[in-house]
Amino acid sequence: LGNIFHAYLFAGSRGTGKTTLARIVAREIGASGNDVYEIDAASNRGIDEIRTLRENVGLSPAAGPYKIYIIDEVHMLTQEAFNALLKTLEEPPAHVKFVFATTHPHKILPTILSRCQKFQFNLIPLESIVAKLKKIASLEKIKIEDSLLYTIGRAAAGSIRDAESLFDQLAPVIIDKGSIGDIFSFLGIIDEESLNRALKALIERDTQTFLEFIEKLARDGKDLGVFLNA
């Protein structure tokens, strides 16, 4: 336990497991439930919240050897809040550890960054997401084709949390044997055949057909951003 750093920074895209791993770290170093404090900086970003934190860090842990403060989206803190937090990081009590999670590390003050051990979280590979969804489907006894799992995985864009959420929302449709079209519509995805027609129109410089295709997407309520990223 003597090698535990006083502050960690978990940086990476949303849904890649930063907060989950922070909770695991808290558990592994022996912090009890009452000694783990989670703060959402997106909604508690001011100086008052950090002042309260500074007042409490001096108190001994309730049970375990450490008190752990997990601050999610830490980049959302105000300048004044960062300055107040810095004072604690400069001379932290031995029993206090911090885990900061952020999607935008470049927005954090360099003086804060310099006092953290940094870890970069990358997007989850598609194959890993599909493997996790297969495991969930097996546990829940849901029959689903691999092609649909890959569709959900691609729609999640590297976020395991988003993939699990989409799967959970789609489960009733899948169980009721909804069509592929129903699922594509739910996800806002354009089917491959339609994409091929649009690409053919572009290659052949058939502007009218392509514009009619775009108009139909908009009329059907499709997300044109999804189409551009397809």
Side-chain angles (χ1 to χ4, degrees), residues 151-152 154-155 183-191 195 222 226:
T151 297
I152 295 171
R154 282 190 289 269
I183 294 172
F184 279 4
S185 178
F186 181 91
L187 294 174
I189 293 174
I190 296 90
D191 63 272
L195 285 175
K222 300 291 186 183
V226 173

Side-chain angles (χ1 to χ4, degrees), residues 95-134:
H95 63 266
V96 173
K97 307 298 177 185
F98 290 94
V99 182
F100 305 130
T102 180
T103 52
H104 296 85
H106 59 281
K107 294 183 179 181
I108 300 174
L109 292 181
T111 47
I112 297 288
L113 291 175
S114 67
R115 288 166 172 80
C116 298
Q117 190 170 41
K118 306 170 190 67
F119 294 89
Q120 179 65 40
F121 285 61
N122 298 318
L123 293 173
I124 310 300
L126 178 59
E127 293 295 337
S128 297
I129 290 178
V130 170
K132 181 65 180 297
L133 295 179
K134 281 185 178 180

Side-chain angles (χ1 to χ4, degrees), residues 93-208:
H95 63 266
V96 173
K97 307 298 177 185
F98 290 94
V99 182
F100 305 130
T102 180
T103 52
H104 296 85
H106 59 281
K107 294 183 179 181
I108 300 174
L109 292 181
T111 47
I112 297 288
L113 291 175
S114 67
R115 288 166 172 80
C116 298
Q117 190 170 41
K118 306 170 190 67
F119 294 89
Q120 179 65 40
F121 285 61
N122 298 318
L123 293 173
I124 310 300
L126 178 59
E127 293 295 337
S128 297
I129 290 178
V130 170
K132 181 65 180 297
L133 295 179
K134 281 185 178 180
K135 184 176 181 180
I136 294 173
S138 175
L139 290 172
E140 298 296 331
K141 296 181 172 52
I142 297 175
K143 293 184 179 180
I144 179 171
E145 298 176 7
D146 284 359
S147 60
L148 287 183
L149 293 177
Y150 276 95
T151 297
I152 295 171
R154 282 190 289 269
S159 168
I160 191 68
R161 182 179 65 207
D162 288 356
E164 291 176 350
S165 177
L166 283 172
F167 184 86
D168 185 56
Q169 294 174 61
L170 279 170
V173 179
I174 297 168
I175 292 172
D176 290 340
K177 296 181 172 56
S179 68
I180 297 292
D182 291 336
I183 294 172
F184 279 4
S185 178
F186 181 91
L187 294 174
I189 293 174
I190 296 90
D191 63 272
E192 188 172 349
E193 183 180 346
S194 297
L195 285 175
N196 289 337
R197 287 201 304 270
L199 183 60
K200 182 174 182 292
L202 277 177
I203 293 173
E204 295 178 353
R205 299 180 182 275
D206 186 350
T207 306
Q208 181 176 348

